[in-house]
Amino acid sequence: MSQHKEVLQGYRQSKAPACAVVMKGLFFMILLYLCVSLITMTAWFPQHGRKIWLALMPSQHMLVGEESTGQGLVCEGKERNLSEVAFSGKGLHGIDFQHEFELDREWKVPPFISNVSPEFIKDAALPRGNGSAVIMLAMGTENQIDFLENWILNVKRAGIVMAVIGAGDNATFNKAREYEVSVFRWSPEDHDASAGWGTSLWTRNTWQKVFAVQKIVSWGYDVILSDLDVVWWRDPSIIFDKHPQADMFFSHDGVATSNTEEDAAVTLLEKGASIHNFINTGMYMVRSTGASRAFMRRWAARYPHFDGHDQNGIYDIIKSGPEGEKHPEDAAILRSANNTLYHAVLPTYVFANGHSYFVSKLHSLLNADIPFGMHATWTYENAAGKRSRLREVKAWHDPHEYYDGKFITMDLEIPSMPLEHNEKDNTEDMLQFHLMALEMQMKQVAIGMMFSLITGRSFIMPNLQCFCERIWYSVIKCRFPDYLDMKFPTPCPMDYYFHMDMLYKGDRGVKIDFREQGFLESPNVSPQIKTSVASISLSSKAANCAMCLGKAHEDTRTCLARQQCISSGKIPSVMMPGNLTDVEIHKYLAPMNDTKLWVLNLKGFTGSTMTEAFGGFESPQTGVLVRSFFTDLLQDWCCRTPDDAKRLNKSMSEPLKMLPGFV
């Protein structure tokens, strides 16, 4: 088994002793150990006399031994076979525990090249005042390389200096080196860059994170584990100091919190934590204690018997045994894993997720500080949806060119929400208003996108509002079942309604160059763009302005000014008739072309008159392609409960509509 020894910091060559010397020394150590142990065990536990307590012995398997050198006991490609393992120890906080479980005799550890060493981690780690040290670890492969770059840039912006990357291939390794981040290889072979969520390779790779964390905490280092689709705004290592009683801290998939505004002011932990919280392993923190080291060994050893990914593998361990007692010094910390671990849950305004940060904005509701980090979960459309969300909150790093150019956006007309909407119990009534309101907004967006196609300007998505949640299982009162108090309207992320890959890449010869909601709020957008603005209003009162299109002896701007269809001022404005074709629109707006930003207002053409806002494309073929593109661009809304769908004789989902019928 080849081993990559190169690491970023120094790329030192390992000075491991020859394999024969190691094995010879271990032979005498093991012989002495077995003599004493077997005599004792036979006397005290005759029924277990045949078991070897591997937790007290060095091992090449990172999930079993607590190595002191970082060198695996691998000689000429051969690995020790493990058939039975039992772990025992005593936690830092006085929790006695003993775990015994069997390992399959044929089990093979997934490939892990142990070129990461204690010396390498020591160089990368940030020392802490109590004598410990911490790293932030993220692991990835080439198919996530744009998220890797983005993660590194956000970490650097947050002032986090102890980042370490575990690379599954050369491309990832080299990219981390470009950014001068500590990096090691965790796989001897480059991994398939096409491995997507839920594939067998993706599942196996999630366990590599567990193996790496287990190895590093066994050397006495604290670890903050992060997925690459996490944004960090602040260094979370202070959580270790603020709550020293906990062995581990977990983020979770809930969208609500039991904490009050007063709680948020005094604690960083979820006061209503339970062993039944849906832990998310995209962000968690491990303090290196006896309890946490044993827990990580137990978690890693789940791999050979478990078909799912690492997150599913932790649930039954945390939930084993009864709900544990609260810690006497901090009631937000509870015993779990059959009373062997003290763990805490971080509320979703401290370690946020894709719903609590983007939609419900819990940290704002509780007047809490900005979250330490946010994991882009509760998103749709896979990586494309995640990129879109991160761009919406200025957490995706694009090149300078992305923020330059000429743009068009919209001043949307949004229907007023019924006063009783938030108090309704009838999901269907709420849903029907939401579908009507979203369709009204989307039809305006469709016209804005048409103008973008016609004029060649990048379309800035306006801020849409939602009046009902979207969940892939089902809503109750148009909300998540565990957050029935959420107030509408809420922001409507683009991945709630668009097929994001189709929008980004284009299809059928139609591609809209667009920017996400909130684009103009980015500090990367120059003041020249924000101040070079023109207002374009479609109005039925502008019918006489259309005559300017046929004036061969007079330029369009002069004619529009004479007809009082165009006005100068701090923000120049153009009044525009409806029913113009694409060619006519291009000519009509040409006088405003030097302006960087157009703001389109359709308030005179909503509702039943929407079809009169645009006269269509003069090329029938173009019209067919554009109609086909927009028809398939929208996702369905989801989902009614099965009982509601059956009672109403409707499907669980509803198609969303966008086209006003003029294309």
Side-chain angles (χ1 to χ4, degrees), residues 26-44:
L26 284 176
F27 172 79
F28 289 106
M29 291 172 61
I30 293 171
L31 183 62
L32 178 62
Y33 173 82
L34 289 176
C35 289
V36 176
S37 298
L38 290 177
I39 292 173
T40 304
M41 292 172 65
T42 302
W44 289 1

Side-chain angles (χ1 to χ4, degrees), residues 226-462:
S226 171
D227 279 355
L228 292 177
D229 59 341
V230 171
V231 174
W232 293 102
W233 287 290
R234 295 191 286 156
D235 182 351
S237 61
I238 65 170
I239 297 174
F240 284 125
D241 302 321
K242 190 169 179 64
H243 299 283
Q245 300 85 3
D247 298 301
M248 298 181 71
F249 303 84
F250 294 103
S251 63
H252 72 106
D253 281 329
V255 300
T257 179
S258 61
N259 288 8
T260 64
E261 186 174 335
E262 291 74 22
D263 296 329
V266 297
T267 184
L268 295 174
L269 307 182
E270 179 66 53
K271 296 188 73 173
S274 162
I275 62 172
H276 301 291
N277 288 118
F278 287 103
I279 287 168
N280 188 292
T281 55
M283 293 191 293
Y284 64 90
M285 301 171 59
V286 187
R287 190 195 312 274
S288 182
T289 66
S292 67
R293 291 192 291 269
F295 180 89
M296 291 303 304
R297 290 196 299 269
R298 186 180 178 189
W299 184 8
R302 290 282 296 152
Y303 175 79
H305 307 290
F306 200 77
D307 293 331
H309 54 83
D310 66 323
Q311 184 167 301
N312 290 337
I314 198 176
Y315 288 155
D316 59 343
I317 303 177
I318 287 288
K319 297 176 183 179
S320 62
E323 182 90 39
E325 298 177 358
K326 306 294 185 181
H327 194 282
E329 298 176 23
D330 192 335
I333 300 171
L334 64 152
R335 283 185 172 182
S336 60
N338 201 22
N339 282 335
T340 63
L341 184 80
Y342 270 127
H343 91 259
V345 172
L346 297 162
T348 53
Y349 59 85
V350 173
F351 272 26
N353 58 46
H355 188 279
S356 66
Y357 187 81
F358 290 103
V359 181
S360 60
K361 301 185 182 297
L362 274 182
H363 62 287
S364 296
L365 293 176
L366 294 172
N367 289 319
D369 292 334
I370 188 171
F372 287 93
M374 183 275 301
H375 189 190
T377 57
W378 292 110
T379 57
Y380 298 87
E381 295 292 289
N382 302 315
K386 292 176 184 287
R387 290 188 198 98
S388 174
R389 291 280 189 106
L390 297 185
R391 283 189 171 116
E392 287 182 17
V393 295
K394 327 300 179 292
W396 188 267
H397 296 264
D398 286 294
H400 172 74
E401 296 77 24
Y402 186 80
Y403 300 96
D404 195 17
K406 293 181 178 180
F407 304 94
I408 181 170
T409 190
M410 306 190 72
D411 184 9
L412 286 183
E413 182 173 3
I414 301 175
S416 299
M417 185 180 72
L419 293 176
E420 70 280 6
H421 187 81
N422 278 315
E423 283 69 48
K424 281 188 174 182
D425 292 327
N426 189 312
T427 299
E428 192 64 21
D429 284 352
M430 299 177 72
L431 172 59
Q432 291 306 317
F433 175 78
H434 168 70
L435 293 175
M436 180 277 294
L438 191 57
E439 180 178 345
M440 179 176 173
Q441 296 172 79
M442 292 306 299
K443 285 181 176 180
Q444 295 173 73
V445 168
I447 295 175
M449 288 183 165
M450 302 291 181
F451 275 57
S452 168
L453 286 171
I454 293 166
T455 61
R457 287 176 172 254
S458 301
F459 181 72
I460 302 173
M461 180 64 62

Side-chain angles (χ1 to χ4, degrees), residues 142-187:
E142 187 177 0
N143 65 316
Q144 305 166 296
I145 205 156
D146 57 339
F147 281 90
L148 169 73
E149 290 186 82
N150 198 65
W151 186 88
I152 291 172
L153 290 170
N154 282 322
V155 162
K156 288 178 176 289
R157 184 168 65 178
I160 297 171
V161 297
M162 65 287 192
V164 175
I165 300 293
D169 45 60
N170 282 335
T172 306
F173 184 87
N174 292 332
K175 182 61 67 174
R177 289 179 61 181
E178 285 180 25
Y179 286 96
E180 299 183 344
V181 175
S182 301
V183 58
F184 64 91
R185 279 292 301 268
W186 54 260
S187 173

